[in-house]
Amino acid sequence: MSPLNPSDNKPLFDRGPSLGTRAVLLAVLSAALMFLDHREGHMDAVRGGLAVAVYPIRVLVDMPSAVFLWGRESLAERARLVAANEALRAESLRQQVHLQQMAVLEAENARLRALMDSPAKLADRVQVAEILAVDLDPYRHRIALNRGSHAGVFEGQALVDADGIVGQVIRVDPLGAEAILISDPSHATPVEVVRSGLRTVAIGVGDVSRMDLPFLPNSADVRIGDLLVSSGLGDAFPHGYPVARISRVDRRPGEPFAQVEAEPTAALNRSRQVLLLWEGGEAEMLPAATPAEPPAGGGKAADEPAGGDP
Amino acid sequence: MSARHWPMLVSLLAALSLEVAPLPPELSAWRPPWVALVAVYWALSYPRRYGLAMAWAVGLVLDVLKGSVLGQHALAMTVTIWIALYFHLRLRVFPPWQQTMAVVGMVFVHQFLVFWVDGVTSAATLDWRRLAPVAAAALAWPVLAALLDHLRVRLRMQT
């Protein structure tokens, strides 16, 4: 650091407010921003504008790992690719067989629902989004996605992967989005136990392999290994997607609630891709064969990109 | 923005990228606060040119980049750079180790403010790893300052 720059010396008479005044003004401005953003949520326009400017940085930071993955894929050995292809084909065949039964079950379900005069549910539509290799904050479980409102992503949208619910979108920019994982300490997921139908809430604890179920009484019907699926209450997640599996039940006689922990079924910190979910919404009667319209919340997604309904 | 600002802009852009670059999970708590360090460097070198307004603006960009509450890093950066500017005449003639200690002090204030806002806005837990960036800054500052000094000499930057 060069000790002295001649023209950096203070002029004899300073103009404008003093350093302290300016610092206090900017600090007050920051505090006002924090209040408006956190308490009132009025700063979305400002954030949206800046986010467009910031998105290239995220893409830039993501580039090394994207290039690495691309290189690994394009330089992979032929034998390995053939093996992987074969495995995938077998997997696909197995799933096709399952799907055959599914079609029959779906039709039966629709008929039964029609008999009971209850509205049928349309199939959910999904789209793949990539998680950018960007570390947002080591103390919060947030991820950055490469799809934004241009792709029809909306705030509150559920994210799933092949094994269960991953999280939900909390912020949408035109090009990207931010999502909160179900393991974030400030996130709670409404769940129900598949075996008993018992409904409760699973809360993140800041650990990707653990969730807490603090509101189950000692007499609650839960066992280790029980599957928890989203209950659909609270309108955050669609009903029936796997969330976690009970990993610990500790009934404490002196306490009002049992200590119950569960392990998320989704690969929260291992996958690079997630699926964005558009709920089919309630149809009048029988489910249509065509994919669902984008939901009202999704808004202006008429020019829907291809790739839904895999 | 005239052309003479580009070294500052490029170094800040690099710092912003480093601030969110993926690290192994064990190391992610040890990430030095790059943006704060680079901003302190430019504020100490050209206090009449890069001041509080730059610090506040880059803090706001950092808020959007990291997805934190708008104003969190802007506040922390403003206070950090205010300290740097207040003591800049003394800091610039300090020997390197003493200067590093002073910068570590500023980074501590910076981290404390970030943590404080975290605590006010959400459930932040007190964790010794919150101090890891301060230690990392002590290691990063001499390297960073030497690198940017070198850059300035190469570019013959003079005010």
Side-chain angles (χ1 to χ4, degrees):
Chain A
M1 185 146 306
S2 66
L4 285 174
N5 294 316
S7 65
D8 266 355
N9 290 336
K10 265 189 155 196
L12 204 50
F13 298 104
D14 220 345
R15 278 173 301 158
S18 74
L19 185 67
T21 316
R22 275 181 292 150
V24 168
L25 278 178
L26 285 173
V28 169
L29 190 58
S30 308
L33 267 180
M34 280 188 268
F35 177 78
L36 286 176
D37 189 37
H38 186 64
R39 285 290 172 81
E40 314 278 335
H42 283 328
M43 285 291 118
D44 290 351
V46 178
R47 193 186 280 277
L50 278 169
V52 175
V54 156
Y55 185 70
I57 300 181
R58 288 187 175 173
V59 172
L60 187 81
V61 165
D62 176 60
M63 211 171 275
S65 61
V67 167
F68 174 74
L69 281 179
W70 176 82
R72 203 175 59 179
E73 251 163 47
S74 41
L75 298 179
E77 287 170 42
R78 185 176 167 278
R80 231 191 57 207
L81 283 179
V82 170
N85 204 335
E86 230 160 67
L88 285 175
R89 216 179 289 235
E91 169 88 22
S92 161
L93 202 63
R94 248 199 325 271
Q95 307 222 344
Q96 293 281 351
V97 174
H98 274 291
L99 271 182
Q100 285 174 14
Q101 289 170 329
M102 177 84 168
V104 175
L105 285 176
E106 225 170 56
E108 185 181 297
N109 194 333
R111 237 184 359 258
L112 290 173
R113 275 177 180 276
L115 279 178
M116 298 195 316
D117 260 359
S118 68
K121 216 178 137 239
L122 282 183
D124 294 332
R125 204 166 53 78
V126 295
Q127 191 191 0
V128 176
E130 263 185 34
I131 300 174
L132 297 178
V134 172
D135 279 0
L136 293 184
D137 186 335
Y139 300 101
R140 288 180 307 167
H141 290 200
R142 308 280 160 96
I143 52 175
L145 303 172
N146 72 341
R147 297 287 158 117
S149 55
H150 282 326
V153 178
F154 59 94
E155 220 175 288
Q157 188 169 23
L159 290 177
V160 297
D161 73 357
D163 301 312
I165 286 186
V166 171
Q168 61 177 307
V169 176
I170 48 171
R171 208 168 275 149
V172 188
D173 316 325
L175 296 171
E178 275 164 40
I180 183 169
L181 298 181
I182 53 173
S183 58
D184 188 284
S186 62
H187 191 270
T189 320
V191 294
E192 89 186 28
V193 180
V194 172
R195 187 175 52 78
S196 58
L198 183 70
R199 281 193 288 263
T200 182
V201 172
I203 293 175
V205 292
D207 178 354
V208 287
S209 62
R210 198 155 60 86
M211 292 175 88
D212 216 4
L213 282 77
F215 308 121
L216 284 174
N218 279 324
S219 58
D221 182 13
V222 283
R223 292 183 209 144
I224 290 178
D226 275 353
L227 182 67
L228 302 172
V229 298
S230 52
S231 69
L233 294 181
D235 284 339
F237 298 103
H239 172 250
Y241 283 86
V243 175
R245 217 169 257 289
I246 302 282
S247 58
R248 207 181 87 151
V249 180
D250 192 2
R251 296 180 205 278
R252 297 171 297 178
E255 309 269 335
F257 292 112
Q259 198 170 6
V260 183
E261 285 172 6
E263 188 182 344
T265 53
L268 290 184
N269 60 345
R270 281 160 287 162
S271 57
R272 167 121 176 123
Q273 286 172 331
V274 288
L275 298 168
L276 291 158
L277 208 66
W278 278 270
E279 246 186 297
E282 307 288 324
E284 282 75 50
M285 267 295 140
L286 291 168
T290 49
E293 292 271 281
K300 62 243 180 244
D303 53 335
E304 206 42 59
D309 276 322
Chain B
M1 278 290 158
S2 68
R4 62 179 186 166
H5 289 304
W6 72 262
M8 185 274 290
L9 288 175
V10 168
S11 59
L12 271 182
L13 204 62
L16 282 167
S17 309
L18 284 173
E19 195 88 38
V20 292
L23 285 179
E26 311 85 60
L27 287 181
S28 66
W30 290 84
R31 184 195 306 274
W34 292 110
V35 171
L37 291 179
V38 170
V40 164
Y41 178 88
W42 289 111
L44 289 183
S45 307
Y46 301 100
R48 310 290 300 166
R49 208 195 283 171
Y50 305 124
L52 291 170
M54 170 206 69
W56 188 80
V58 77
L60 203 62
V61 172
L62 193 56
D63 279 327
V64 176
L65 183 66
K66 289 193 150 194
S68 47
V69 179
L70 271 189
Q72 179 180 24
H73 288 90
L75 174 69
M77 290 288 289
T78 304
V79 175
T80 311
I81 298 301
W82 175 74
I83 301 171
L85 290 175
Y86 194 83
F87 294 111
H88 77 274
L89 287 177
R90 255 169 284 176
L91 282 172
R92 287 203 300 201
V93 293
F94 273 175
W97 67 268
Q98 217 171 339
Q99 199 178 52
T100 305
M101 287 302 110
V103 170
V104 164
M106 290 179 219
V107 169
F108 179 80
V109 173
H110 180 271
Q111 287 303 113
F112 173 75
L113 285 170
V114 169
F115 170 64
W116 186 44
V117 175
D118 263 354
V120 171
T121 55
S122 65
T125 46
L126 192 51
D127 188 341
W128 66 268
R129 282 180 306 168
R130 289 271 180 181
L131 289 175
V134 181
L139 296 176
W141 172 260
V143 182
L144 184 79
L147 199 75
L148 289 176
D149 274 345
H150 183 71
L151 182 79
R152 270 171 61 206
V153 171
R154 283 292 293 275
L155 296 171
R156 299 193 181 79
M157 280 179 77
Q158 196 51 264
T159 353

